[in-house]
Amino acid sequence: MLKKIKIGTMGMVIMVVLLITVATLNVGTVNANTTDKKTSDLKWVTKYVPGFGNVTAREDMFVGEGNNTKIVLNKDYQTNGAITPIFENVPQVDVVTVNTPYGNVTVTKDEYNRLGKDKIIADQKAFIEQRNELIKAGRLDTSLENLSESQFIAKTQAITQTVPQEQISPLSMSQNTMQTALVQTASDTFYWSRDDSRVQRYPWYYPTCIYGIAYPFASTPVPPNDGTVVYHETEIHLNNAGSSGETCEIIAQHSWDGRSVWPSMFINGQDQPMPEMTIKNVNGPIEYRFEYIPSNPDYSVHPTYRITLYNPANGDTRRKTFDVNYLSTRGTYIEFLDPDVEFLHKDPCEVCYSDSNFVQEGAYQGSTYCNPADAFYKLYQTSSTYAQVGFSWNYPGSGQILSIHESGNSIP
């Protein structure tokens, strides 16, 4: 995935022109064999990239032919990030799925070779045991996981409430501006609507781990032929986050081919592709965990970042570890969270609606547990016409933070 566009907080529509010949990102060598997603005149195409696999993006985001094919970026991508095309299998990664008594675990072949089957099984056993302890202690609320989609939406929206004004920093007033940008591509005009929030840690907290549940439940069919795509996210920014720092994103994606949950990780300012972590055809909640391990015994006591996705419906687990010992400076704790909605659409907005919910269930400082609602406070909230993030603090009364992410032409 490419880093998504970050629109500045201006009270007017911003023109973002894609530079076709100057600001480009070479994603590898592409042959001329192109397969359209549909047979009609659509803007989504799939190209096979040797060494990467199938890359799917809007047709107007590709420039050049053959070995010179590139993907277009917006002109200020180096500071604001790039508009995210949809990728499939980029790059191709050899993975191993280990069948354990506690569910299947998928890791890269490199990690399998490093750890071995017995260690992966032992780690999964420890993960499930810790999960059960969190549930028993009331630090992981799985009751909503057994509800139907309609029951879940009714229950969460009924209890969602605005964060009290006294909990919001005065900075929020200057940030409360429309987040919609006009995006001119080579062939058409789109709008990028974004509602961005920021949840900042209190200065006396230094969280090194956060876990929660993503619920990418409600969505009407997303138009398959006009470039519409939706990303509902919780961005986990470390203390050195920025153009060359570390950020993990947990993403619930709604697009024409269904709903999926996947993570993105930026280390030293570079995206770390991990297609093996994507859980597709999601029809229920997915649990996630991000943790910084300052001395990982499995990696010669090197510092590592570890991301885990867990599907409670079938026990499917995806796990990825990054060795960051090579970095002279690195993020060592979580500085802030950004629940947000990013929505690329035509205007007027098509008749489509999507809703995802993220619950920040718990956090750790090393081995010490802390409630997210105690460790973080609401810093600011932006607004947008077609994108919205709502909050419930101390949800459902025991320190969790619930964010409801909505996009489309029928948000309240």
Side-chain angles (χ1 to χ4, degrees):
M1 153 182 167
L2 301 177
K3 182 65 177 173
K4 286 176 282 301
I5 190 169
K6 307 297 182 184
I7 303 301
T9 55
M10 299 177 63
M12 58 183 292
V13 173
I14 306 170
M15 175 68 77
V16 180
V17 180
L18 298 180
L19 298 186
I20 299 176
T21 59
V22 180
T24 58
L25 176 68
N26 194 341
V27 297
T29 306
V30 184
N31 66 20
N33 185 12
T34 300
T35 303
D36 285 343
K37 276 291 183 183
K38 302 290 183 181
T39 56
S40 58
D41 182 22
L42 305 185
K43 296 181 178 65
W44 293 100
V45 296
T46 300
K47 295 187 177 184
Y48 180 75
V49 184
F52 286 80
N54 293 323
V55 179
T56 302
R58 291 204 320 271
E59 185 176 33
D60 55 355
M61 284 185 151
F62 288 100
V63 296
E65 296 292 338
N67 293 343
N68 296 320
T69 302
K70 298 179 180 180
I71 291 181
V72 179
L73 301 180
N74 52 295
K75 64 180 180 180
D76 55 352
Y77 76 97
Q78 289 181 321
T79 55
N80 289 336
I83 296 173
T84 308
I86 293 179
F87 287 147
E88 293 180 353
N89 304 324
V90 181
Q92 289 202 352
V93 177
D94 290 333
V95 300
V96 176
T97 298
V98 179
N99 185 281
T100 83
Y102 318 98
N104 291 339
V105 180
T106 299
V107 297
T108 64
K109 187 176 181 179
D110 289 344
E111 189 152 341
Y112 177 82
N113 290 338
R114 171 185 288 272
L115 300 179
K117 181 178 179 180
D118 291 344
K119 182 65 167 66
I120 291 173
I121 293 175
D123 285 349
Q124 185 67 1
K125 178 183 179 182
F127 172 79
I128 295 300
E129 288 177 347
Q130 184 187 40
R131 179 177 180 269
N132 291 337
E133 290 174 0
L134 292 172
I135 294 172
K136 185 177 180 180
R139 295 175 175 175
L140 178 61
D141 178 15
T142 60
S143 63
L144 295 177
E145 295 179 355
N146 299 317
L147 298 179
S148 68
E149 183 171 325
S150 59
Q151 289 172 327
F152 175 86
I153 295 169
K155 183 172 182 178
T156 55
Q157 292 204 353
I159 65 170
T160 301
Q161 53 191 276
T162 302
V163 179
Q165 191 66 32
E166 61 269 17
Q167 293 189 17
I168 303 179
S169 162
L171 177 61
S172 64
M173 305 311 295
S174 63
Q175 295 283 350
N176 191 23
T177 54
M178 181 171 291
Q179 295 278 284
T180 300
L182 186 65
V183 180
Q184 183 66 51
T185 71
S187 62
D188 213 334
T189 300
F190 294 88
Y191 288 80
W192 187 263
S193 294
R194 176 184 173 94
D195 187 8
D196 181 36
S197 308
R198 179 152 296 182
V199 180
Q200 179 77 37
R201 73 175 179 91
Y202 285 105
W204 50 88
Y205 278 96
Y206 298 88
T208 55
C209 170
I210 195 159
Y211 66 91
I213 309 175
Y215 302 84
F217 271 127
S219 61
T220 59
V222 175
N225 59 351
D226 72 346
T228 299
V229 65
V230 181
Y231 302 98
H232 296 161
E233 311 175 352
T234 287
E235 299 180 359
I236 303 166
H237 295 262
L238 276 74
N239 54 306
N240 69 336
S243 60
S244 61
E246 278 72 71
T247 298
C248 175
E249 301 180 357
I250 307 299
I251 301 164
Q253 176 180 306
H254 301 249
S255 55
W256 76 89
D257 59 351
R259 297 176 294 208
S260 58
V261 172
W262 50 285
S264 178
M265 187 74 211
F266 296 87
I267 299 177
N268 199 28
Q270 300 296 316
D271 186 16
Q272 309 294 319
M274 42 182 157
E276 74 278 7
M277 292 289 287
T278 300
I279 301 179
K280 295 186 175 182
N281 303 314
V282 173
N283 292 308
I286 301 295
E287 297 177 16
Y288 59 87
R289 179 181 298 187
F290 171 81
E291 50 195 321
Y292 168 67
I293 304 172
S295 179
N296 191 334
D298 298 328
Y299 284 75
S300 302
V301 299
H302 289 176
T304 61
Y305 301 131
R306 185 164 61 193
I307 304 170
T308 304
L309 297 184
Y310 176 76
N311 187 346
N314 57 17
D316 179 21
T317 303
R318 314 291 175 95
R319 189 171 294 127
K320 180 79 170 185
T321 304
F322 297 95
D323 187 339
V324 290
N325 190 59
Y326 67 95
L327 295 179
S328 58
T329 60
R330 66 185 69 90
T332 57
Y333 57 86
I334 299 166
E335 180 69 28
F336 58 89
L337 309 174
D338 272 357
D340 66 67
V341 174
E342 299 183 3
F343 182 29
L344 184 65
H345 58 88
K346 299 297 289 291
D347 197 31
C349 179
E350 293 282 353
V351 180
C352 63
Y353 171 78
S354 56
D355 174 32
S356 300
N357 297 263
F358 289 78
V359 182
Q360 307 303 322
E361 290 278 351
Y364 280 90
Q365 300 183 94
S367 60
T368 303
Y369 177 84
C370 52
N371 291 327
D374 295 332
F376 296 91
Y377 66 94
K378 184 74 176 294
L379 184 61
Y380 69 72
Q381 173 88 46
T382 62
S383 63
S384 178
T385 303
Y386 297 127
Q388 176 174 281
V389 177
F391 276 88
S392 179
W393 221 252
N394 279 307
Y395 162 84
S398 55
Q400 293 106 323
I401 302 173
L402 167 67
S403 57
I404 289 185
H405 306 238
E406 297 177 287
S407 54
N409 64 355
S410 59
I411 63 174

